[in-house]
Amino acid sequence: TWAAAYAYKLSPNLKIKAAISTGFKVPSADERFGTSVWGAGNTSLRPEESLGREIGFESKVGSRLNIVGNFYTTEINNLIEAVGSDLDNDGYDDRYDYYNRGNAKIEGFESEFTLRHTNTDLILVLQLQDAYNVQTGARLLKKAEKIASLKINHSMEDSLLSTQVMYSGDRKGYSSDMSAYTIVNASYLKYLSNNTHLKFGVENLFDKNYELAAGYNTYGTSLNVGLIYTGF
């Protein structure tokens, strides 16, 4: 794989940039050899290969607001997709086999707005994308068309408080579509010294039920505590 990027500052407050890169995704073990649940697998699968292009800008508006915007497109060859089979004729697919099914394209725009005020930063990220199979026009699996997040960081003398609201639009699954969801995460970082920090975190604060894979619910509210040392 390879990548190349270029940026040019038009003025002290405006920069434009462009990038191009290649990538690949090898078939997983389940896709190649199968499981007792999903199917027999396909050892003839070829890796997905991709070519990505991006053009964007970064602009400072006054002393407090920073705006970043990127237009991007990714072309994927040898797309790996699952094909369902209803073996017991009950109206639901109960076996999935994987094939290379043509090409796909992901086109989108993402932007980030950072507003700084005294000890508080507000970071808003928005993403709109269209991910589809070029031959059939069908949406790609697990790709939301709308994604957004709002993060608030509040700095104090010896600590940092962060709250993040994350939104994902509906996504296409193997057997059924997955609904849109919104979750809230929060964390508190206590500076014990220049090198040592204590972190408390809460994920999925309001115990939201949502799916990242169709038919499988995610964890509910979870708590974590960690000690961070950066002196090495």
Side-chain angles (χ1 to χ4, degrees):
T1 61
W2 56 267
Y6 179 78
Y8 182 78
K9 185 175 286 188
L10 295 174
S11 71
N13 295 324
L14 179 61
K15 179 171 64 177
I16 58 173
K17 52 188 178 180
I20 184 171
S21 62
T22 61
F24 67 91
K25 174 181 175 292
V26 299
S28 68
D30 286 348
E31 291 168 344
R32 293 194 66 209
F33 304 113
T35 67
S36 59
V37 177
W38 294 109
N42 183 354
T43 57
S44 299
L45 286 174
R46 300 186 301 276
E48 293 182 350
E49 299 178 348
S50 63
L51 174 66
R53 302 179 181 90
E54 178 181 322
I55 185 169
F57 67 91
E58 182 175 350
S59 177
K60 294 182 179 179
V61 182
S63 60
R64 296 180 177 178
L65 180 62
N66 192 70
I67 302 174
V68 177
N70 293 304
F71 295 90
Y72 62 89
T73 178
T74 302
E75 298 175 358
I76 303 172
N77 297 323
N78 303 327
L79 177 68
I80 298 174
E81 283 195 330
V83 179
S85 301
D86 182 9
L87 301 180
D88 53 9
N89 297 317
D90 63 352
Y92 299 94
D93 292 333
D94 42 28
R95 169 175 168 155
Y96 293 90
D97 295 296
Y98 296 92
Y99 302 94
N100 290 112
R101 303 193 68 190
N103 306 322
K105 182 176 285 189
I106 304 173
E107 301 170 314
F109 172 76
E110 58 184 356
S111 59
E112 180 177 308
F113 303 84
T114 302
L115 179 63
R116 295 182 171 89
H117 180 68
T118 315
N119 296 328
T120 303
D121 291 347
L122 278 73
I123 305 170
L124 175 64
V125 178
L126 303 172
Q127 182 177 2
L128 302 173
Q129 67 178 5
D130 187 15
Y132 59 94
N133 185 309
V134 174
Q135 279 71 34
T136 65
R139 287 177 61 183
L140 297 188
L141 297 173
K142 302 182 181 180
K143 297 290 186 182
E145 294 181 342
K146 301 175 183 178
I147 302 172
S149 70
L150 175 63
K151 188 173 185 179
I152 303 175
N153 294 331
H154 181 65
S155 299
M156 293 166 278
E157 183 177 353
D158 59 354
S159 59
L160 174 67
L161 178 63
S162 296
T163 305
Q164 186 177 29
V165 182
M166 301 174 62
Y167 168 82
S168 174
D170 65 284
R171 288 147 296 133
K172 183 178 177 60
Y174 288 115
S175 57
S176 62
D177 292 343
M178 294 171 281
S179 301
Y181 66 88
T182 301
I183 59 173
V184 178
N185 302 325
S187 66
Y188 177 75
L189 192 66
K190 175 72 173 180
Y191 305 125
L192 302 179
S193 69
N194 290 335
N195 299 328
T196 308
H197 315 316
L198 186 62
K199 183 177 182 180
F200 302 88
V202 182
E203 296 184 358
N204 196 0
L205 181 62
F206 298 106
D207 200 24
K208 175 71 176 179
N209 291 325
Y210 66 100
E211 297 172 313
L212 297 178
Y216 296 88
N217 194 26
T218 55
Y219 289 108
T221 301
S222 61
L223 308 175
N224 60 81
V225 179
L227 185 65
I228 304 171
Y229 180 73
T230 57
F232 295 107

